[in-house]
Amino acid sequence: MTLSLTNTAKTYADGTRALKPTKLDIAQGEIVSLLGPSGCGKSTLLRIIAGLETPDEGAKLLFDGEDFTRFPVEKRKVGMVFQSYALFPNMSVRGNIGYGLKMQKLPKTEINRRVDEVITLCQLEPYAARPINALSGGQRQRVALARAFAPRPRLLLLDEPLSALDAALRGQLCDELAQLLRSFGITAIFVTHDQDEAMAIADRVAVMSHGEIAQIGTPEVLYRAPQSEFVARFIGAAMPLGRHIDDNTLHFETGSLNLAGSQAGKKAFIRAEDVRLDDTGPLRAKVISVTFLGTHYRIALAGLAPDPVFALHSALSAPKVGDTVGVAINPAAILMLPSDKKAA
Amino acid sequence: MFKSPAKLFQLVITLLACAFLLIPTLQSALAGVTVNYFRGVSSGLTFKWIIEVWALYSGSIFLSIWLALACLMCTLIIGVPAAYALARNPGRLSRMLEEFISLPLAIPGLALALALLQLYGGWREFRMSWTFILVGHVLYTLPFMVRSVMSVLAAIDLKTLEEGAASLGAPPHRRFLDIVVPNALPGILAGALTVVTLSIGEFNLTWMLHTPFLKTLPVGLADSYASMRLEIASAYTLIFFVMIVPLLLAMQWATARAQRIMS
């Protein structure tokens, strides 16, 4: 393991527990995303790794076996991309990118060579001599990335690097960022509250909630086999399904579905893409709302659970509000999860 | 353009106000180069008085310039790090310290000078040297430097910029020199010009602290008004103008520039 954190926690002076004791191992070259709603402790964890926050007593941070828990930021050899980018307004693009190399006291020719290299890699050639305030948001983001990467850090940390951009640009830059990080071949940790970003960029995603890692795994595993209600709801917006479970039968207001084996004490969840409108289906539901989204309709249905259940319906026409429709659900697509009292 | 009576009225008032301020200034300046003030400009123009003032008071002029520069050095060395520390650690204690530094603004210079005399008056060498006046000037001008730098620092996200520099391997002193100082420069410049202008023009504190061998420009001015003929006093005023007006203009420019960055 390249980076290994054990028993890392953070309690603020006023007693707030921002991060519960956390264990995290990251392999060489791996890109890990810390994903969660605001206030879940993801930024705190990132800042502890960066050395910008001091963890509680008992924490241990290892890099290739070397303990760096007590190292100050400037000795950690980590590159950091800040949410606001924190580019130095008193320096040009070149000055910003070269700053870390200057701090390493490299000879001038070497600095110039490496700055040119990174500028080419990040496609910043046309902007190299510009002052920072003459750049667009997307360009700033790339300069921030280039600056963090230029000194060849052991670890690249990114704190919500796309959230300062407007929505249209975000999608495009997300792919670009994923591509750049892969081409760097660097170990990276990347904080976001956006599951699409996390899935697009990361090899593994750590979903965080209430100061702890709820589940960590590849995007596929998190999506297909969430271990808790929180993860299922947060990744892919799973919805509770049915009224109650009686051994191996899931009961609805009208009808029931057979489940594989006894599922007593668990809760059933379903995702919108697995709810099919089918007049021959075994279940009945009432349409409450219909939203046209181009590729499909998003239809809210009453009668499948205490709350409305959404269905994605790909067809040329949709039922009307108030209609009663038949619904088919493949029992294999139902996620059976232990009850989670905390989750919102 | 001036058809409406209201507009015309405004223009007349403005011109009158300008004349009220400018005419005495021009008259005083003119008196400094007139052969005999009581006979008026018809007596002829001369540089005689200015040369005489230079012969009598050039020491004061150089002392003032020297004091202003020394005062600037002190306020830079004390004020910039102090402003940085206050901006970096906002809190009640910082607010109190800021107010405390600003006290000399509210207290009359005479009272400040008296306190200095009471405290250090017995220390003869210090009392007799120019550094005694310097201490008074630094006390009086420091709040201007601190506030000017603080207001610029408050407008930038100093903490994150410093964290950025730290993550790139910059130790604390490099962060201060490479990030804090360059970004605070407009505030430092505005503060520096204010300090120099105030120090050159400072009278009431300096008057209490000066010795017969250490007269600054304004103290010399008072001296010439009290004991010299009117033409010499006027010529002195003229020299003072020539020195202080460019400084004032530069100060205006620097302050406007700092405010542009803050907004």
Side-chain angles (χ1 to χ4, degrees):
Chain A
M1 285 296 157
T2 294
L3 178 73
S4 157
L5 273 64
T6 32
N7 197 24
T8 304
K10 175 75 188 176
T11 312
Y12 284 108
D14 63 359
T16 325
R17 200 87 196 265
L19 189 68
K20 290 176 192 157
T22 299
K23 191 178 158 9
L24 182 65
D25 290 305
I26 294 174
Q28 171 67 41
E30 196 179 21
I31 300 174
V32 171
S33 168
L34 305 178
L35 173 67
S38 61
C40 71
K42 57 192 191 304
S43 283
T44 306
L45 182 53
L46 191 80
R47 289 174 64 83
I48 288 173
I49 298 170
L52 299 170
E53 299 280 359
T54 328
D56 293 349
E57 210 54 51
K60 201 165 179 191
L61 285 74
L62 298 177
F63 195 95
D64 281 340
E66 180 198 7
D67 187 338
F68 68 93
T69 318
R70 302 265 160 258
F71 280 21
V73 206
E74 60 266 27
K75 298 250 162 66
R76 290 199 178 190
K77 294 186 200 146
V78 295
M80 179 117 177
V81 176
F82 293 83
Q83 189 170 3
S84 61
Y85 307 142
L87 297 174
F88 309 135
N90 55 312
M91 298 177 197
S92 68
V93 169
R94 279 196 81 90
N96 268 278
I97 297 174
Y99 189 74
L101 300 165
K102 209 168 103 187
M103 288 304 111
Q104 291 180 351
K105 302 202 168 61
L106 294 178
K108 258 216 160 71
T109 50
E110 174 73 4
I111 293 181
N112 278 330
R113 196 181 63 71
R114 299 238 317 241
V115 170
D116 286 335
E117 203 179 287
V118 178
I119 283 179
T120 314
L121 192 61
C122 297
Q123 293 161 20
L124 284 164
E125 293 98 333
Y127 319 109
R130 287 206 195 161
I132 292 307
N133 51 24
L135 300 180
S136 72
Q139 290 159 357
R140 282 177 205 216
Q141 195 253 342
R142 261 184 293 161
V143 174
L145 187 67
R147 182 180 76 173
F149 177 68
R152 297 192 186 151
R154 310 191 281 193
L155 190 62
L156 194 58
L157 306 173
L158 304 101
D159 190 2
E160 305 248 7
L162 298 166
S163 67
L165 305 168
D166 51 56
L169 204 57
R170 207 177 301 151
Q172 181 201 336
L173 284 182
C174 180
D175 296 341
E176 209 179 285
L177 182 64
Q179 220 173 4
L180 267 178
L181 286 178
R182 303 267 167 234
S183 68
F184 289 172
I186 197 171
T187 313
I189 303 175
F190 158 62
V191 160
T192 180
H193 62 266
D194 183 314
Q195 56 144 321
D196 296 336
E197 269 175 34
M199 297 225 186
I201 293 174
D203 298 315
R204 277 197 303 158
V205 177
V207 182
M208 294 186 71
S209 147
H210 296 96
E212 59 190 338
I213 296 179
Q215 190 176 349
I216 179 163
T218 61
E220 290 88 345
V221 166
L222 286 176
Y223 195 84
R224 290 179 193 148
Q227 284 164 4
S228 66
E229 182 177 341
F230 175 80
V231 176
R233 281 172 178 266
F234 198 78
I235 306 274
M239 302 159 289
L241 184 69
R243 252 194 354 202
H244 69 276
I245 290 172
D246 177 14
D247 195 29
N248 64 348
T249 313
L250 178 60
H251 293 279
F252 296 88
E253 274 172 43
T254 56
S256 63
L257 282 177
N258 282 328
L259 302 168
S262 174
Q263 304 287 355
K266 292 194 172 173
K267 277 171 84 177
F269 289 87
I270 194 73
R271 292 209 171 84
E273 65 266 33
D274 296 319
V275 180
R276 245 172 349 101
L277 298 192
D278 180 352
D279 284 335
T280 61
L283 304 168
R284 287 281 168 273
K286 202 173 156 206
V287 175
I288 335 179
S289 76
V290 177
T291 315
F292 180 56
L293 294 167
T295 55
H296 57 262
Y297 292 93
R298 188 163 179 268
I299 296 170
L301 300 167
L304 296 177
D307 292 326
V309 169
F310 290 95
L312 301 186
H313 180 56
S314 305
L316 290 177
S317 65
K320 289 186 178 54
V321 174
D323 287 357
T324 299
V325 292
V327 175
I329 291 171
N330 175 8
I334 298 174
L335 303 163
M336 298 307 305
L337 298 170
S339 277
D340 182 359
K341 295 284 177 289
K342 278 187 307 191
Chain B
M1 186 179 173
F2 302 118
K3 272 178 192 148
S4 95
K7 276 264 157 66
L8 197 66
F9 183 69
Q10 279 178 8
L11 183 72
V12 170
I13 293 290
T14 310
L15 287 178
L16 276 178
C18 289
F20 183 74
L21 291 169
L22 278 174
I23 288 173
T25 313
L26 289 174
Q27 203 175 10
S28 176
L30 201 60
V33 288
T34 308
V35 174
N36 187 327
Y37 179 71
F38 297 102
R39 279 175 39 214
V41 186
S42 59
S43 64
L45 297 176
T46 174
F47 283 117
K48 182 170 77 173
W49 309 122
I50 290 179
I51 293 163
E52 203 160 323
V53 168
W54 191 258
L56 282 166
Y57 292 105
S58 62
S60 291
I61 293 168
F62 287 122
L63 176 66
S64 264
I65 293 171
W66 169 247
L67 262 177
L69 292 178
C71 181
L72 175 60
M73 283 313 292
C74 292
T75 50
L76 283 176
I77 291 167
I78 306 169
V80 178
Y84 167 66
L86 290 174
R88 200 69 173 76
N89 306 292
R92 191 179 297 171
L93 196 68
S94 294
R95 295 289 309 170
M96 276 165 61
L97 257 170
E98 194 194 334
E99 293 305 320
F100 186 72
I101 293 175
S102 306
L103 267 183
L105 293 181
I107 297 172
L110 289 172
L112 204 62
L114 188 68
L116 284 175
L117 284 168
Q118 282 173 334
L119 193 58
Y120 301 113
W123 190 355
R124 217 184 118 74
E125 262 100 81
F126 181 43
R127 169 73 189 90
M128 299 303 285
S129 95
W130 62 274
T131 50
F132 193 50
I133 301 177
L134 177 66
V135 169
H137 280 206
V138 170
L139 271 179
Y140 174 58
T141 55
L142 190 61
F144 293 94
M145 179 63 88
V146 172
R147 294 195 153 201
S148 176
V149 176
M150 269 184 83
S151 59
V152 170
L153 288 183
I156 53 180
D157 187 359
L158 196 62
K159 185 166 165 274
T160 315
L161 284 182
E162 273 198 78
E163 284 179 349
S167 74
L168 293 166
H173 72 278
R174 297 252 37 141
R175 309 203 279 261
F176 182 73
L177 292 176
D178 295 341
I179 308 303
V180 179
V181 171
N183 287 304
L185 213 53
I188 295 176
L189 189 63
L193 284 160
T194 313
V195 165
V196 170
T197 312
L198 286 176
S199 170
I200 287 185
E202 209 300 315
F203 175 72
N204 68 44
L205 188 146
T206 321
W207 183 75
M208 280 284 275
L209 298 179
H210 87 280
T211 67
F213 307 102
L214 288 169
K215 280 186 205 148
T216 64
L217 195 62
V219 173
L221 203 60
D223 188 87
S224 75
Y225 289 173
S227 54
M228 298 286 161
R229 56 182 295 170
L230 196 58
E231 290 85 349
I232 290 189
S234 300
Y236 200 150
T237 313
L238 188 58
I239 290 177
F240 188 71
F241 269 158
V242 169
M243 285 182 64
I244 211 88
V245 169
L247 273 173
L248 276 174
L249 290 175
M251 193 171 100
Q252 287 249 327
W253 166 81
T255 313
R257 189 164 160 267
Q259 269 162 0
R260 213 168 42 238
I261 281 170
M262 274 148 55
S263 60

